[in-house]
Amino acid sequence: MSAPDVSPEDVALVHEVLQSDSLSMGPMVERFEAEWAARLGIPHAVAVSSGTAGLHLALISVGVSAGDCVVTSPFSFVASANAALYEGALPVFVDIDPASFALDPDGVATALADLEAGGRAAARWLPRHRPDGWVGRPAKAVMPVHVFGQPAAMAPIAASADRHGAMVIEDACEAIGSEYEGQPAGAFGAAGVFGFYPNKQMTTGEGGVIVTVEEARARLLRSLRNQGRDDSATWLRHVRLGYNYRLDEMSAALGLGQLRRLDALLAQRARVAAAYDQRLAGLEAVTPPGRVATTTKIGWFVYVVRLAAGTDRAAVVGALAADGVPSRPYFPPIHLQPYYRERFGYREGDFPITEAIARTTLALPFHGQMTDDEVDFVVSALERALSTSADATSPVASGER
Ligand SMILES: *Cc1c(COP(=O)(O)O)cnc(C)c1O
């Protein structure tokens, strides 16, 4: 499905670390943070051990704690909602905009107003199973997720968050290199979080980074990732509940190498996405990824198409696999994950737009080193898979996208 792009220069940087005496808390993390902050044009970057760890700390840093509500998207990788659960907070799901696949800003505005109003208005946003204390609390935070590299509607979301006293944390883990109205994704909220798992636009192996404009928040985040130590440099002095969410030096070195090549990595991915777009243009039953007007740049993370309604997606996945082409239904909605169904009582139908999109999306193999021939091979296999599965299903619903 994906492949990291590691160059000899990246390897040399990791080697440099291995031949030094600091494998953790050394100069590479500092260099990586400084260059990341400069790239985003934001004063502070705090490197952490994963994107998930970054989301967790970002929520703590805006004061999210037990019993709070965090408004977020059900159409995401599970980590975004889980981060709220780590603090005993409740992820309050709002359905997505079918064009961007990200949080619908009008839904966010209504949810924030209703949560503030409390009582019955608030209750309609909450899951069936919940501790009593959760009714009537205004949202502490809103966490838009820039799914597949397409930034959420940050201007209206930030405006409603402001109106209702909620802090904005951006899950920008899939949006490395993306821009919303000319500004980098991740730079709008109180904090923005990026992830560097090997399938992302660039990698550190495991790793992530949190960006923020506020110095006090950056200092708090550095303490939280480092066992709650303060700035006094006294090793065994812990002033708050902290975590070991540090990024090690080898990972930071790889990240530094990748960051220095990021424009080239992004350009390669854009080339492959364009090849897919072009090759898929004639295919009736497949809608290539769209781009909303506010998205001035997409940092391509995955290449996710929509299959025409009525297509037997499982049959398509099976036929592709038989041709040696991996593909993945992406994302299964968070609220329908077994853990969320059991704990919160969610059911099918709770977030209809998310579910409708999730039923028809399919991620195709995608990384920056794919050749035009490989793209062609995948699309040819997809054409065959669609024609076999179309024979088996009724043509009635195929007009709907
Ligand atoms: C990748 C990703 C994360 C972070 O994942 P890690 O594996 O913890 O780095 C968080 N949210 C979304 C939407 C992601 O795609």
Side-chain angles (χ1 to χ4, degrees):
M1 286 299 294
S2 68
D5 179 337
V6 176
S7 73
E9 293 77 20
D10 298 347
V11 173
L13 278 164
V14 177
H15 238 209
E16 198 183 304
V17 171
L18 289 169
Q19 288 165 332
S20 76
D21 2 302
S22 44
L23 304 190
S24 185
M25 301 188 65
M28 282 296 181
V29 166
E30 284 174 26
R31 279 159 74 186
F32 180 57
E33 289 178 339
E35 293 195 20
W36 188 267
R39 163 132 197 149
L40 267 276
I42 205 164
H44 307 284
V46 179
V48 286
S49 53
S50 70
T52 307
L55 292 171
H56 183 193
L57 295 191
L59 287 179
I60 297 175
S61 82
V62 298
V64 168
S65 62
D68 281 330
C69 291
V70 176
V71 169
T72 190
S73 172
F75 191 67
S76 174
F77 180 61
V78 72
S80 48
N82 280 356
L85 295 182
Y86 297 158
E87 285 306 302
L90 178 71
V92 173
F93 294 124
V94 167
D95 213 344
I96 57 172
D97 162 12
S100 68
F101 300 173
L103 273 179
D104 169 24
D106 297 331
V108 170
T110 312
L112 290 174
D114 285 349
L115 289 170
E116 191 167 295
R120 292 260 291 278
R124 75 189 182 100
W125 294 96
L126 304 180
R128 292 179 185 81
H129 306 164
R130 57 180 188 264
D132 297 341
W134 268 326
V135 178
R137 285 226 201 174
K140 182 62 73 71
V142 182
M143 187 193 281
V145 183
H146 307 314
V147 273
F148 309 157
Q150 179 117 249
M154 288 315 297
I157 289 173
S160 1
D162 259 4
R163 222 166 22 249
H164 298 284
M167 304 293 275
V168 176
I169 301 294
E170 289 175 77
D171 181 344
C173 287
E174 301 194 353
I176 297 167
S178 293
E179 288 179 8
Y180 173 86
E181 294 186 334
Q183 295 282 105
F188 293 87
V193 180
F194 296 88
F196 304 124
Y197 188 74
N199 67 345
K200 308 286 193 204
Q201 292 90 333
M202 59 165 267
T203 187
T204 59
E206 297 286 357
V209 69
I210 314 166
V211 295
T212 180
V213 295
E214 292 160 82
E215 194 188 340
R217 190 179 316 287
R219 209 177 308 123
L220 173 60
L221 290 166
R222 288 179 203 289
S223 170
L224 287 166
R225 78 167 169 193
N226 189 22
Q227 307 282 19
R229 293 181 173 100
D230 64 9
D231 301 336
S232 72
T234 310
W235 186 245
L236 290 179
R237 193 175 128 84
H238 308 275
V239 296
R240 58 178 57 82
L241 177 63
Y243 303 82
N244 180 356
Y245 282 169
R246 296 183 301 260
L247 187 71
D248 65 73
E249 288 284 291
M250 290 75 75
S251 302
L254 175 55
L256 195 62
Q258 298 261 297
L259 177 53
R260 288 174 177 171
R261 295 192 296 125
L262 183 54
D263 286 323
L265 294 174
L266 291 169
Q268 287 285 57
R269 297 174 85 93
R271 172 190 61 78
V272 176
Y276 264 126
D277 283 349
Q278 195 179 23
R279 188 64 178 73
L280 287 169
L283 260 182
E284 261 294 299
V286 175
T287 309
R291 182 188 291 221
V292 298
T294 49
T295 301
T296 45
K297 196 169 172 210
I298 289 200
W300 286 95
F301 166 51
V302 279
Y303 192 86
V304 177
V305 299
R306 288 193 70 192
L307 304 179
T311 308
D312 181 349
R313 184 176 58 179
V316 171
V317 170
L320 283 173
D323 271 345
V325 175
S327 64
R328 200 163 286 169
Y330 201 64
F331 298 106
I334 297 178
H335 68 284
L336 298 179
Q337 294 290 345
Y339 179 73
Y340 279 78
R341 283 182 191 252
E342 257 166 59
R343 178 164 171 187
F344 297 111
Y346 286 117
R347 300 177 196 146
E348 238 132 293
D350 283 344
F351 300 98
I353 300 171
T354 291
E355 292 166 27
I357 303 285
R359 266 194 297 275
T360 59
T361 42
L362 190 66
L364 301 177
F366 183 73
H367 57 81
Q369 296 154 89
M370 281 180 79
T371 62
D372 287 356
D373 283 349
E374 286 173 317
V375 169
D376 197 59
F377 182 86
V378 172
V379 176
S380 302
L382 183 60
E383 279 169 335
R384 280 193 301 276
L386 285 164
S387 63
T388 7
S389 75
D391 297 341
T393 50
S394 104
V396 177
S398 64
E400 196 193 320
R401 293 280 172 98

